[in-house]
Amino acid sequence: MPVQQPRRLFIVEDSRRRAAVSARDAGRARAVAAAMLLGSPHAERRDALVVREPEDEERADFETRARQIGQGDCGLTAIPL
């Protein structure tokens, strides 16, 4: 069985909203965020979403919310910020 890439945290945003997404690559992060923010992973505006590395504050916010939900650092894919 091939080894899968570890998940990384990405921030995906448009002009009004943003989400923290745990995914294996930026393309998957964009698809998850498009489903969350735009209603469909295939939305036309998907390509307008900006994917970037999180700042320390955003990473801490994601980790705090993950603990509050009870998922720890695994299982939680995305949260709106």
Side-chain angles (χ1 to χ4, degrees), residues 56-68:
D56 291 339
E57 181 180 301
E58 293 166 325
R59 183 178 300 280
D61 192 25
F62 179 84
E63 291 169 358
T64 299
R65 290 189 188 188
R67 279 192 298 275
Q68 290 172 345

Side-chain angles (χ1 to χ4, degrees), residues 11-65:
I11 301 299
V12 185
E13 57 193 349
D14 66 6
S15 61
R16 298 175 298 161
R17 300 167 290 191
R18 65 187 170 131
V21 181
S22 174
R24 299 194 195 295
D25 58 52
R28 289 181 178 154
R30 179 173 284 157
V32 169
M36 174 184 268
L37 301 176
L38 305 176
S40 168
H42 307 292
E44 289 181 25
R45 297 185 323 249
R46 173 183 162 178
D47 291 337
L49 294 173
V50 176
V51 180
R52 62 178 174 81
E53 294 290 324
E55 296 175 8
D56 291 339
E57 181 180 301
E58 293 166 325
R59 183 178 300 280
D61 192 25
F62 179 84
E63 291 169 358
T64 299
R65 290 189 188 188

